[in-house]
Amino acid sequence: ETGVTQTPRHLVMGMTNKKSLKCEQHLGHNAMYWYKQSAKKPLELMFVYSLEERVENNSVPSRFSPECPNSSHLFLHLHTLQPEDSALYLCASSQDRQGDWEQYFGPGTRLTVT
Amino acid sequence: RKEVEQDPGPFNVPEGATVAFNCTYSNSASQSFFWYRQDCRKEPKLLMSVYSSGNEDGRFTAQLNRASQYISLLIRDSKLSDSATYLCVVTRFLRSNDYKLSFGAGTTVTVRA
């Protein structure tokens, strides 16, 4: 596989469930990102990892917990979510965490919280 | 005020027409600018970077106006395949090795036969 992959592609979970989203990049990039995309709203940057170190956390509720075990893998652990957390969650990677590098996005996980 | 704002559209144009739209940014310290394209139910993909002198890639032309703090995208000879949402992306240097990346909500373009 090439590029950025995400699993699962679709997820329906109850508010009391615990689930994890997985992202893998095959591009040899050093930076990885989690975004939330809600309808008609801009992409919201949630977390940034550079060389496996979290460098940015944009005031995301603690019910979202990221994990970056190595430079190719990124997880988003979910627990006790709310219905307003239903959205498309996109993972992206870039060569480095600098503003002028192209971001390569995965296909996203469409999450529905019931 | 939002850091990046776009006219959501939709811009409905016939094939072959020219369509243009802008994206305004609020922080004059913004330094890198991009247009991404997002097809329906797909992920965003880089369309083109926007350089200070303006740049062209085939039928697509991007311009940067720093004085008025906006970037523009012009699509000539529109094709059906140009139908998508175009996302404006702006980056700003914060401090050593730290950037703020801001996305617009997107401008939807629909090209009809």
Side-chain angles (χ1 to χ4, degrees), chain B residues 12-59:
Chain B
N12 294 308
V13 300
E15 266 188 297
T18 295
V19 59
F21 41 90
N22 296 338
C23 162
T24 58
Y25 58 94
S26 61
N27 196 307
S28 59
S30 299
Q31 59 186 117
S32 297
F33 308 88
F34 309 88
W35 284 106
Y36 278 71
R37 171 197 170 124
Q38 186 170 22
D39 292 333
C40 186
R41 307 191 76 80
K42 298 276 191 169
E43 70 273 20
K45 292 184 179 179
L46 180 67
L47 177 67
M48 57 198 302
S49 302
V50 186
Y51 303 123
S52 296
S53 55
N55 48 300
E56 192 174 304
D57 182 2
R59 298 180 293 105

Side-chain angles (χ1 to χ4, degrees), chain A residues 9-10 33 35 37 40-43 45 55-56 88 90 97-103 105-107 110, chain B residues 2 4 32 34 36 38 41-46 49 87 91 97-101 103-105 108:
Chain A
R9 295 293 306 277
H10 300 271
Y33 311 77
Y35 289 90
Q37 187 173 35
K40 306 296 184 186
K41 294 175 72 175
L43 265 73
L45 181 61
V55 295
E56 189 167 339
L88 180 67
L90 290 161
R97 192 210 170 304
Q98 291 181 3
D100 50 359
W101 284 108
E102 177 180 356
Q103 299 225 343
F105 286 85
R110 189 159 296 280
Chain B
K2 294 178 184 176
V4 179
S32 297
F34 309 88
Y36 278 71
Q38 186 170 22
R41 307 191 76 80
K42 298 276 191 169
E43 70 273 20
K45 292 184 179 179
L46 180 67
S49 302
L87 307 177
T91 68
N97 203 33
D98 194 9
Y99 290 77
K100 179 176 172 63
L101 186 74
F103 281 77
T108 298

Side-chain angles (χ1 to χ4, degrees), chain B residues 73-93:
Chain B
L73 182 66
L74 182 146
I75 308 173
R76 284 186 302 279
D77 188 23
S78 300
K79 311 291 184 191
L80 295 176
S81 57
D82 295 333
S83 297
T85 296
Y86 292 85
L87 307 177
C88 170
V89 181
V90 174
T91 68
R92 176 164 58 89
F93 178 77

Side-chain angles (χ1 to χ4, degrees), chain A residues 83-102:
Chain A
E84 61 264 29
D85 296 323
S86 298
L88 180 67
Y89 288 84
L90 290 161
C91 173
S93 71
S94 62
Q95 184 61 54
D96 286 297
R97 192 210 170 304
Q98 291 181 3
D100 50 359
W101 284 108
E102 177 180 356

